[in-house]
Every structure is written in structure tokens, then in C-alpha cells.
Amino acid sequence: MSKFFHLMSGGLDSTVLLYDLLDQENSVFCLLFDYGQRHLKELRYAAATCEKLGVPYERILLPREMFSRSALTAGKVLTVDELNGGTTVVPNRNMVLISMAASYALSHGGTAVTWAANADDSAIYPDCRSEFLQHLNRALRICHTRRMEVHAPYIVRTKRQVVEKGRELGVPFEETWSCYAGGDAPCGECGACKVRAEAMA
């Protein structure tokens, strides 16, 4: 049985992957990163899912100055058309979060970090591409005396395929959060809401 440290946002993809890992009888510890995202509500969903499934987790607070120039941390919420401009890219976010998760895992006996990037993300986000993952893993394998790597099994799957996997596993999608707007209910208009709706249609 492997011991994975899972990047858990509370969104659809990371929640499906958590269920997937548990279904394979892996040992999982979830890391919930608070980087000042306007949709901070996602972490409440993440914590609730962990508690429901009996998965240990830790919430990690990052300095707000690190990611203050993205539409996800400041400014207006974008439509799905405006998403193509890449203004929701949080500079180097995944490199930072995965590196921190790897350090945490190495300090706590972990064998790998798991991350739920999907193939649809790669069109907009450079740090969700297979090339990024390959180079990151090369660095992680030599960063310590003990081997560490990132597993991203959904990076070659579309979001629709992730949804199909979630349905197969019985994931309660209503217990996940995708909206970028930061309101009490999903706005239905931001890029994340529309991509989710299309994948679930």
C-alpha cells in the first residue's frame, strides 16, 4: 500500500481522485492550500469531504503576497470566453504547491504527491501540462536522498472523463465546489462553472 499526500482543493477533479485513491486502498493524507483564492469556499468542501471519508488533512496558509496578481486572487471573475486569455493563471502556483507538498511528504514518510490536473486544463494553464509534470518529476527524483514523485493520473483525461470516473466511484458531486466567484452559491457564469457544466452534461 502506497502512502500518498494529495493536493485537495475541494473541486471536482481533486475529489474524484481522492475517491479513486481510496478505492485502490491507498493510504492518503490531504493537503489543503489557502493561497488567498477568492473561491476560498472550496477548502470548506475539501475539509468536509476529508472528514466524511475519515481522511486526515492539514490546511496550510500561504503568504497573500505570493499570488496577488491573478484573477483568482484579485479583480473580476472572468467568463469562459475571457478565460482563453489566461488571466486566471496564478503565476507558478502548481510548482509552489507541489514543491511544498513534496517537502511535507518527505518529512512524513510519503512516497508520492498526487495531483488532479486534467487534460482540458492544459490549454490555458502551462503548469497543468504533461511537459511540466515530466520536468518537475525529474527534479523531484534528485531533490532528496529518498525518491519522491508526483502522480497525476488524470492529466491525460478530459474533465468529462473525470466526471465519468466519479460517477463510477459514486462521488457526490454536490459536495464539491468549482465556482471562482466566491459567492454563497455557484454563479453559473464564470469559466469554472461553465467547464464543469459542460463536462457533466
Side-chain angles (χ1 to χ4, degrees):
M1 181 174 66
S2 298
K3 183 176 183 181
F4 293 128
F5 285 76
H6 180 50
L7 291 171
M8 179 64 174
S9 69
L12 188 152
D13 304 302
S14 67
T15 302
V16 171
L17 182 51
L18 175 59
Y19 273 79
D20 200 354
L21 292 168
L22 295 175
D23 185 63
Q24 298 173 52
E25 300 183 350
N26 292 297
S27 173
V28 184
F29 188 99
C30 286
L31 297 173
L32 285 56
F33 285 100
D34 176 350
Y35 57 89
Q37 60 268 51
R38 63 188 308 146
H39 52 299
L40 194 59
K41 187 172 183 176
E42 66 177 4
L43 295 187
R44 296 204 295 273
Y45 279 72
T49 294
C50 290
E51 290 166 8
K52 174 183 175 179
L53 298 176
V55 176
Y57 69 93
E58 183 161 341
R59 180 167 172 163
I60 299 173
L61 180 65
L62 300 184
R64 292 299 186 264
E65 296 77 15
M66 288 185 68
F67 303 123
S68 61
R69 298 298 179 92
S70 165
L72 295 191
T73 55
K76 70 173 185 175
V77 179
L78 304 181
T79 66
V80 71
D81 292 330
E82 292 172 310
L83 260 175
N84 292 325
T87 53
T88 58
V89 173
V90 181
N92 208 33
R93 178 187 63 176
N94 288 333
M95 174 73 85
V96 171
L97 301 189
I98 292 169
S99 295
M100 293 185 70
S103 294
Y104 194 104
L106 285 165
S107 299
H108 293 82
T111 57
V113 169
T114 52
W115 172 46
N118 69 66
D120 293 344
D121 293 334
S122 66
I124 299 170
Y125 305 110
D127 58 357
C128 287
R129 295 172 183 162
S130 294
E131 182 182 17
F132 169 80
L133 176 65
Q134 291 164 6
H135 287 287
L136 181 59
N137 267 329
R138 288 193 188 103
L140 286 175
R141 286 167 189 149
I142 60 172
C143 76
H144 195 266
T145 55
R146 187 156 47 82
R147 185 183 177 93
M148 170 56 57
E149 61 186 359
V150 182
H151 292 182
Y154 296 167
I155 204 163
V156 294
R157 298 190 188 189
T158 65
K159 198 173 191 78
R160 186 180 295 275
Q161 290 173 320
V162 175
V163 168
E164 290 171 356
K165 183 63 177 179
R167 287 177 174 148
E168 175 188 321
L169 294 167
V171 175
F173 295 118
E174 69 277 7
E175 296 176 8
T176 67
W177 185 267
S178 299
C179 182
Y180 287 159
D184 292 330
C187 70
E189 295 297 326
C190 70
C193 281
K194 291 191 174 184
V195 167
R196 175 183 173 124
E198 290 170 5
M200 297 187 71

